[in-house]
């Protein structure tokens, strides 16, 4: 009789897939509330590896309900592709176990085109900030949502409304494509053909994703809110403009799924045992050179969605402490501790130095963040294999002291520690459901 939100406390890619999958065993309902297929959750179950981008990870467990909330942006082709890929591996995603909110916005082909076009240089038009997006159309889709030009999943069910709204939406897009980006214009017929295809495959899944959530909360069922990306990528609180376009902190579950704020009993903050980020933007604890490369190889730090190499660095407790304040994190799930084996001595940034003072939380402006110098706490590290550890007491002293320092500097107790990619390779310190 609990609800738990799982959120990333860094720049995403903290290993949420495994943890969500683990917690799903005790959950009745799993809810996604923001982001889209820019996310990529990798799960290892037995011999099988699953990479999910849109469908809530909880779907791998039979008998659980999954909701894609109104705050998610949905690329219908990606959703169809994931449903088919899971079916091919014997996992049924049916309207009985998945509802997609009719109010979730649709990522249209022109959103993807615009996203990619904006990241390219525009000769003769001066420098533009390249964000390093995933190119999935996420930002342009959220823009249309905010400017009320978006199409929602429910519009797929209503041909006349879809046509009228799509016609308006492409007016501006086509002007941009023709006059600024030199791209072919989008035709209305092309979009209507897509609507027909999407309707044929997705109509039974589209509906009211709030009532099942409210009903589950009313009945005291166990609800898991599955966040995507991380706190430092939050549109308001992250390293703007090098952020994604949604609310990635726990409060996003309220707007993005219709969850009342008081319904979040616990917030589990995911912390990778070191730090990574994809794309541009300041990253105070980044490590360039051989140690950064060794971390990337040991942790297989390449994007699940784009395959891009991730930037790697030391654990930044300042970032995690900030995330904890933003999301009301009640405990931490430390992931990929095993990756640090043999990489010692290690460092944890316990504060930043800026203009002669010490900061314990991240400054909001990237201009200030870029000038911050991490203040490190040195850790000896460890060389032992820790994948068999199931209690903290099983860990070698170097791993224990690293976790103790992490807990102290982040200021939040540990809830679980992941010591390998498999479900069972976990030290569980808290009962979540
Ligand atoms: P967008 O979400 O595709 O617009 O990308 C904006 C920024 O967020 C870029 O720096 C991306 O690399 C980053 N980003 C988006 N989704 C993820 C994710 O799931 N993990 C890590 N970084 C992400």
């Amino acid at each position: 009789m609990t609800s738990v939100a799982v959120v990333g406390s860094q720049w995403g890619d903290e290993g949420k897939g495994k943890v969500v999958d683990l917690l799903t065993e005790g959950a009745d309902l799993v809810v996604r509330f923001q982001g889209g297929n820019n996310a990529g959750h990798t799960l290892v179950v037995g011999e099988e590896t699953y990479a999910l981008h849109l469908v809530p990870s909880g779907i791998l467990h039979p008998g659980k309900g999954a909701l894609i909330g109104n705050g998610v942006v949905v690329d219908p082709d990606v959703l169809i592709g994931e449903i088919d890929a899971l079916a091919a591996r014997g996992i049924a995603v049916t309207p009985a176990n998945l509802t997609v909110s009719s109010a979730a916005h649709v990522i249209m082909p022109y959103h993807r085109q615009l996203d990619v076009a904006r990241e390219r240089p525009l000769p003769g038009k001066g420098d533009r900030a390249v964000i390093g997006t995933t190119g999935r159309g996420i930002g342009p889709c959220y823009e249309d949502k905010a400017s009320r030009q978006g199409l929602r999943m429910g519009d797929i069910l209503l041909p006349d409304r879809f046509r009228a709204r799509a016609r308006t939406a492409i007016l501006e897009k086509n002007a941009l494509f023709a006059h600024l980006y030199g791209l072919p214009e989008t035709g209305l017929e092309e979009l209507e053909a897509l609507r027909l295809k999407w309707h044929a495959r997705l109509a039974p899944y589209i509906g009211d994703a709030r009532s099942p959530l409210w009903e589950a909360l009313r009945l005291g069922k166990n609800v898991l809110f599955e966040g995507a990306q991380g706190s430092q990528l939050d549109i308001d609180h992250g390293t703007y403009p090098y952020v994604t376009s949604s609310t990635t902190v726990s409060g996003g579950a309220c707007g993005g799924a219709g969850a009342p704020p008081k319904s979040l009993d616990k917030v589990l903050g995911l912390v990778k045992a070191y730090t990574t980020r994809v794309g541009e933007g300041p990253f105070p604890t980044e490590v360039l050179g051989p140690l950064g490369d060794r971390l990337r190889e040991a942790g297989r730090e390449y994007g699940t969605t784009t395959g891009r190499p991730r930037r790697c660095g030391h654990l930044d407790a300042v970032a995690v402490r900030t995330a904890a304040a933003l999301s009301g994190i009640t405990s931490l799930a430390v992931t990929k501790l095993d990756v640090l084996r043999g990489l010692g001595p290690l460092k944890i940034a316990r504060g930043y130095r800026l203009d002669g003072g010490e900061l314990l939380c991240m400054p909001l402006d990237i201009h200030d963040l870029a000038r911050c110098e991490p203040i490190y706490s040195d850790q000896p590290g460890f060389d032992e294999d820790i994948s068999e550890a199931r209690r903290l007491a099983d860990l070698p002293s170097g791993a224990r002291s690293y976790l103790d320092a992490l807990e102290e500097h982040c200021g939040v107790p540990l809830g679980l520690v992941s010591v390998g990619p498999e479900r069972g390779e976990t030290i569980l310190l808290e009962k979540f459901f």
Side-chain angles (χ1 to χ4, degrees), residues 11-13 38-40 115 131-136 138-139 229 233 242-245 277-280 308:
W11 276 277
D13 307 318
N38 47 348
D115 195 4
I131 308 297
T133 72
T134 59
R136 301 299 192 257
I138 306 295
Q229 289 87 41
L233 290 173
Y242 302 102
V243 292
T244 191
S245 300
R277 97 167 281 181
V278 205
E280 305 302 315
R308 288 182 292 177

Side-chain angles (χ1 to χ4, degrees), residues 76-150:
D77 286 326
V78 171
L79 182 58
I80 294 168
E82 277 188 12
I83 291 173
D84 289 348
L86 285 166
R89 296 168 83 170
I91 295 164
V93 182
T94 69
N97 62 4
L98 176 69
T99 301
V100 182
S101 169
S102 57
H105 277 250
V106 181
I107 299 180
M108 301 291 282
Y110 47 79
H111 291 138
R112 285 193 302 270
Q113 283 172 292
L114 200 52
D115 195 4
V116 173
R118 282 194 186 136
E119 295 275 304
R120 292 203 190 111
L122 263 185
K125 304 278 185 200
D127 283 345
R128 292 184 307 156
V130 168
I131 308 297
T133 72
T134 59
R136 301 299 192 257
I138 306 295
C141 184
Y142 278 115
E143 273 167 57
D144 274 2
K145 172 178 177 172
S147 68
R148 290 145 296 177
Q149 296 202 43

Side-chain angles (χ1 to χ4, degrees), residues 154-355:
D155 295 330
I156 293 174
L157 308 178
L158 301 168
D160 291 343
R161 191 160 84 185
F162 183 94
R163 185 183 168 80
R165 295 193 60 79
R167 188 192 289 120
T168 313
I170 56 177
L171 272 180
E172 282 184 16
K173 308 297 178 301
N174 282 341
L176 277 176
F177 289 169
H179 300 294
L180 186 62
Y181 295 115
L183 290 170
E185 296 187 9
T186 303
L188 194 53
E189 305 68 39
E190 177 191 327
L191 300 180
E192 290 193 289
L194 284 175
R195 190 205 67 78
L196 270 178
K197 179 175 85 170
W198 296 338
H199 184 276
R201 289 299 311 277
L202 297 177
Y205 295 90
I206 301 171
D208 173 7
R210 296 187 308 182
S211 298
L213 170 63
W214 293 338
E215 184 67 355
L217 293 172
R218 193 181 66 79
L219 295 174
K221 296 204 168 167
N222 294 335
V223 180
L224 183 62
F225 294 95
E226 176 178 351
Q229 289 87 41
S231 190
Q232 312 311 327
L233 290 173
D234 184 273
I235 181 77
D236 289 282
H237 299 283
T239 49
Y240 192 90
Y242 302 102
V243 292
T244 191
S245 300
S246 63
T247 298
T248 61
V249 298
S250 64
C254 303
K262 284 192 174 171
S263 66
L264 302 184
D265 298 314
K266 294 185 175 191
V267 180
L268 181 63
L270 268 284
V271 186
K272 186 147 56 181
Y274 48 97
T275 313
T276 60
R277 97 167 281 181
V278 205
E280 305 302 315
F283 178 0
T285 62
E286 182 166 21
V287 181
L288 301 169
L291 177 58
D293 295 342
R294 280 171 68 201
L295 261 177
R296 186 174 309 106
E297 292 315 312
R300 292 188 297 280
E301 296 295 349
Y302 294 89
T304 320
T305 302
T306 58
R308 288 182 292 177
R310 297 178 183 143
R311 297 158 66 191
C312 296
H314 301 297
L315 179 65
D316 186 344
V318 183
V320 180
R321 203 180 297 117
T322 310
L326 286 165
S327 280
I329 291 174
T330 48
S331 58
L332 296 174
V334 180
T335 60
K336 296 183 111 171
L337 183 63
D338 50 303
V339 169
L340 295 180
R341 175 187 183 188
L343 296 180
L346 305 169
K347 288 177 191 292
I348 297 178
R350 59 173 180 77
Y352 293 157
R353 195 162 285 120
L354 180 68
D355 298 331

